CSV table of all heavy atoms in Angstrom, one decimal:
chain,number,residue,atom,x,y,z
C,184,GLU,N,0.2,3.2,-17.9
C,184,GLU,CA,0.2,2.9,-19.3
C,184,GLU,C,-1.2,3.0,-19.9
C,184,GLU,O,-1.4,2.9,-21.1
C,184,GLU,CB,0.8,1.5,-19.6
C,184,GLU,CG,2.3,1.4,-19.2
C,184,GLU,CD,2.8,0.0,-19.3
C,184,GLU,OE1,2.0,-0.9,-19.8
C,184,GLU,OE2,3.9,-0.3,-18.9
C,185,GLU,N,-2.2,3.1,-19.0
C,185,GLU,CA,-3.6,3.2,-19.5
C,185,GLU,C,-3.9,4.5,-20.1
C,185,GLU,O,-3.3,5.5,-19.7
C,185,GLU,CB,-4.5,2.9,-18.3
C,185,GLU,CG,-4.6,1.4,-17.9
C,185,GLU,CD,-5.1,0.5,-19.0
C,185,GLU,OE1,-6.3,0.6,-19.4
C,185,GLU,OE2,-4.3,-0.3,-19.6
C,186,PRO,N,-4.9,4.6,-21.0
C,186,PRO,CA,-5.3,5.8,-21.7
C,186,PRO,C,-6.1,6.8,-20.8
C,186,PRO,O,-6.3,7.9,-21.2
C,186,PRO,CB,-6.1,5.4,-22.9
C,186,PRO,CG,-6.7,4.1,-22.5
C,186,PRO,CD,-5.6,3.4,-21.6
C,187,VAL,N,-6.5,6.3,-19.6
C,187,VAL,CA,-7.2,7.1,-18.7
C,187,VAL,C,-6.6,7.0,-17.3
C,187,VAL,O,-5.9,6.0,-17.0
C,187,VAL,CB,-8.7,6.7,-18.5
C,187,VAL,CG1,-9.4,6.8,-19.9
C,187,VAL,CG2,-8.9,5.3,-17.9
C,188,PRO,N,-6.7,8.0,-16.4
C,188,PRO,CA,-6.1,7.9,-15.1
C,188,PRO,C,-6.8,6.8,-14.3
C,188,PRO,O,-8.0,6.7,-14.3
C,188,PRO,CB,-6.4,9.3,-14.5
C,188,PRO,CG,-6.8,10.2,-15.6
C,188,PRO,CD,-7.4,9.3,-16.6
C,189,ILE,N,-5.9,6.0,-13.6
C,189,ILE,CA,-6.4,4.8,-12.9
C,189,ILE,C,-6.3,5.1,-11.4
C,189,ILE,O,-5.2,5.5,-10.9
C,189,ILE,CB,-5.6,3.6,-13.2
C,189,ILE,CG1,-5.7,3.3,-14.7
C,189,ILE,CG2,-6.1,2.4,-12.4
C,189,ILE,CD1,-7.2,3.0,-15.2
C,190,MET,N,-7.4,5.0,-10.7
C,190,MET,CA,-7.5,5.2,-9.3
C,190,MET,C,-7.0,4.0,-8.5
C,190,MET,O,-7.5,2.9,-8.7
C,190,MET,CB,-8.9,5.6,-8.8
C,190,MET,CG,-9.1,5.7,-7.3
C,190,MET,SD,-8.3,7.2,-6.6
C,190,MET,CE,-9.5,8.4,-7.2
C,191,LEU,N,-6.0,4.2,-7.6
C,191,LEU,CA,-5.4,3.2,-6.8
C,191,LEU,C,-5.6,3.6,-5.3
C,191,LEU,O,-5.2,4.7,-4.9
C,191,LEU,CB,-4.0,2.9,-7.0
C,191,LEU,CG,-3.6,2.5,-8.5
C,191,LEU,CD1,-2.1,2.3,-8.6
C,191,LEU,CD2,-4.3,1.2,-8.8
C,192,LEU,N,-6.3,2.8,-4.5
C,192,LEU,CA,-6.5,3.2,-3.1
C,192,LEU,C,-6.5,1.9,-2.3
C,192,LEU,O,-6.8,0.8,-2.9
C,192,LEU,CB,-7.7,4.0,-2.9
C,192,LEU,CG,-9.1,3.3,-3.1
C,192,LEU,CD1,-10.2,4.1,-2.4
C,192,LEU,CD2,-9.4,3.3,-4.6
C,193,GLY,N,-6.3,2.0,-1.0
C,193,GLY,CA,-6.3,0.8,-0.2
C,193,GLY,C,-6.2,1.0,1.3
C,193,GLY,O,-6.1,2.1,1.7
C,194,GLU,N,-6.4,-0.1,2.0
C,194,GLU,CA,-6.3,-0.1,3.4
C,194,GLU,C,-4.8,-0.2,3.8
C,194,GLU,O,-4.3,-1.3,3.8
C,194,GLU,CB,-7.1,-1.2,4.0
C,194,GLU,CG,-8.6,-1.1,3.7
C,194,GLU,CD,-9.4,-2.3,4.2
C,194,GLU,OE1,-9.0,-3.4,3.9
C,194,GLU,OE2,-10.4,-2.1,5.0
C,195,GLY,N,-4.2,0.9,4.2
C,195,GLY,CA,-2.8,0.9,4.5
C,195,GLY,C,-2.6,0.6,6.0
C,195,GLY,O,-1.7,1.3,6.6
C,196,TRP,N,-3.3,-0.3,6.6
C,196,TRP,CA,-3.1,-0.6,8.0
C,196,TRP,C,-1.8,-1.4,8.2
C,196,TRP,O,-1.3,-2.1,7.4
C,196,TRP,CB,-4.2,-1.4,8.5
C,196,TRP,CG,-5.6,-1.2,8.0
C,196,TRP,CD1,-6.6,-2.1,7.7
C,196,TRP,CD2,-6.3,0.1,7.8
C,196,TRP,NE1,-7.7,-1.6,7.3
C,196,TRP,CE2,-7.6,-0.2,7.4
C,196,TRP,CE3,-5.9,1.4,8.0
C,196,TRP,CZ2,-8.5,0.8,7.0
C,196,TRP,CZ3,-6.8,2.4,7.7
C,196,TRP,CH2,-8.1,2.1,7.2
C,197,GLU,N,-1.2,-1.2,9.4
C,197,GLU,CA,-0.1,-2.0,9.8
C,197,GLU,C,-0.6,-3.3,10.3
C,197,GLU,O,-1.3,-3.4,11.3
C,197,GLU,CB,0.7,-1.2,10.9
C,197,GLU,CG,1.9,-2.0,11.5
C,197,GLU,CD,3.0,-2.1,10.5
C,197,GLU,OE1,3.3,-1.1,9.8
C,197,GLU,OE2,3.6,-3.2,10.5
C,198,LEU,N,-0.3,-4.4,9.6
C,198,LEU,CA,-0.7,-5.7,10.0
C,198,LEU,C,0.5,-6.6,10.4
C,198,LEU,O,1.6,-6.4,9.9
C,198,LEU,CB,-1.4,-6.4,8.8
C,198,LEU,CG,-2.7,-5.6,8.3
C,198,LEU,CD1,-3.1,-6.2,6.9
C,198,LEU,CD2,-3.8,-5.6,9.3
C,199,SER,N,0.2,-7.6,11.3
C,199,SER,CA,1.3,-8.4,11.8
C,199,SER,C,1.6,-9.6,10.9
C,199,SER,O,1.6,-10.7,11.3
C,199,SER,CB,0.9,-8.9,13.2
C,199,SER,OG,-0.3,-9.7,13.1
C,200,THR,N,1.8,-9.2,9.6
C,200,THR,CA,2.2,-10.2,8.6
C,200,THR,C,3.7,-10.4,8.7
C,200,THR,O,4.5,-9.5,9.1
C,200,THR,CB,1.7,-9.9,7.2
C,200,THR,OG1,2.0,-10.9,6.3
C,200,THR,CG2,2.4,-8.6,6.7
C,201,ALA,N,4.3,-11.5,8.2
C,201,ALA,CA,5.7,-11.8,8.2
C,201,ALA,C,6.4,-11.0,7.1
C,201,ALA,O,7.0,-11.6,6.2
C,201,ALA,CB,5.9,-13.3,8.1
C,202,LEU,N,6.4,-9.7,7.2
C,202,LEU,CA,7.0,-8.9,6.2
C,202,LEU,C,7.6,-7.7,7.0
C,202,LEU,O,6.8,-7.1,7.9
C,202,LEU,CB,6.1,-8.4,5.1
C,202,LEU,CG,6.6,-7.6,4.0
C,202,LEU,CD1,7.5,-8.4,3.1
C,202,LEU,CD2,5.5,-7.0,3.1
C,203,ALA,N,8.8,-7.3,6.7
C,203,ALA,CA,9.4,-6.1,7.5
C,203,ALA,C,8.5,-4.9,7.3
C,203,ALA,O,8.0,-4.6,6.3
C,203,ALA,CB,10.8,-5.9,7.0
C,204,THR,N,8.4,-4.1,8.4
C,204,THR,CA,7.6,-2.9,8.4
C,204,THR,C,7.9,-2.0,7.3
C,204,THR,O,7.0,-1.4,6.7
C,204,THR,CB,7.7,-2.2,9.8
C,204,THR,OG1,7.2,-3.1,10.8
C,204,THR,CG2,7.0,-0.9,9.8
C,205,GLU,N,9.2,-1.8,7.0
C,205,GLU,CA,9.6,-0.9,6.0
C,205,GLU,C,9.2,-1.3,4.6
C,205,GLU,O,9.4,-0.6,3.6
C,205,GLU,CB,11.1,-0.6,6.1
C,205,GLU,CG,12.0,-1.8,5.8
C,205,GLU,CD,12.3,-2.6,7.0
C,205,GLU,OE1,11.6,-2.5,8.0
C,205,GLU,OE2,13.2,-3.5,6.9
C,206,LYS,N,8.8,-2.6,4.4
C,206,LYS,CA,8.4,-3.1,3.1
C,206,LYS,C,6.9,-3.1,2.9
C,206,LYS,O,6.5,-3.5,1.8
C,206,LYS,CB,9.0,-4.5,2.9
C,206,LYS,CG,10.5,-4.5,2.9
C,206,LYS,CD,11.0,-6.0,2.6
C,206,LYS,CE,12.5,-6.0,2.6
C,206,LYS,NZ,13.0,-7.4,2.3
C,207,LYS,N,6.1,-2.7,3.9
C,207,LYS,CA,4.7,-2.8,3.8
C,207,LYS,C,4.1,-1.6,3.2
C,207,LYS,O,4.5,-0.5,3.4
C,207,LYS,CB,4.1,-3.1,5.2
C,207,LYS,CG,4.5,-4.3,5.9
C,207,LYS,CD,3.9,-4.4,7.3
C,207,LYS,CE,4.4,-5.6,8.0
C,207,LYS,NZ,3.9,-5.6,9.4
C,208,ALA,N,3.0,-1.8,2.4
C,208,ALA,CA,2.4,-0.7,1.7
C,208,ALA,C,1.4,0.0,2.7
C,208,ALA,O,0.1,-0.1,2.5
C,208,ALA,CB,1.6,-1.2,0.5
C,209,THR,N,1.9,0.6,3.7
C,209,THR,CA,1.1,1.2,4.8
C,209,THR,C,1.1,2.7,4.6
C,209,THR,O,2.0,3.3,3.9
C,209,THR,CB,1.7,0.9,6.2
C,209,THR,OG1,3.0,1.3,6.2
C,209,THR,CG2,1.6,-0.6,6.4
C,210,SER,N,0.2,3.4,5.3
C,210,SER,CA,0.2,4.8,5.2
C,210,SER,C,1.4,5.5,5.7
C,210,SER,O,1.8,6.6,5.2
C,210,SER,CB,-1.0,5.4,6.0
C,210,SER,OG,-1.0,5.0,7.3
C,211,ARG,N,2.1,4.9,6.7
C,211,ARG,CA,3.4,5.4,7.2
C,211,ARG,C,4.5,5.4,6.1
C,211,ARG,O,5.4,6.2,6.2
C,211,ARG,CB,3.9,4.7,8.4
C,211,ARG,CG,4.5,3.4,8.2
C,211,ARG,CD,5.2,2.8,9.4
C,211,ARG,NE,4.3,2.6,10.5
C,211,ARG,CZ,4.8,2.2,11.7
C,211,ARG,NH1,6.1,2.0,11.9
C,211,ARG,NH2,3.9,2.0,12.7
C,212,ASN,N,4.3,4.6,5.1
C,212,ASN,CA,5.3,4.5,4.0
C,212,ASN,C,4.7,5.1,2.7
C,212,ASN,O,5.1,4.9,1.6
C,212,ASN,CB,5.6,3.0,3.7
C,212,ASN,CG,6.4,2.4,4.8
C,212,ASN,OD1,7.2,3.1,5.5
C,212,ASN,ND2,6.2,1.1,5.1
C,213,SER,N,3.7,6.0,2.9
C,213,SER,CA,3.0,6.6,1.7
C,213,SER,C,4.0,7.4,0.8
C,213,SER,O,3.7,7.5,-0.4
C,213,SER,CB,1.9,7.5,2.2
C,213,SER,OG,2.4,8.6,3.0
């Protein structure tokens, strides 16, 4: 919705957090 392109980037590592693997914002789910 912004008037300019917004850059989004992050560390998509697989971490042992209590969230199902298929729900994590990891590179394998890119």
Side-chain angles (χ1 to χ4, degrees):
E184 299 175 5
E185 284 297 292
V187 302
I189 300 300
M190 173 69 76
L191 301 176
L192 68 158
E194 296 176 307
W196 324 137
E197 177 69 41
L198 301 169
S199 58
T200 185
L202 186 68
T204 295
E205 66 272 14
K206 295 183 179 181
K207 297 175 183 176
T209 58
S210 56
R211 75 166 63 182
N212 294 326
S213 61

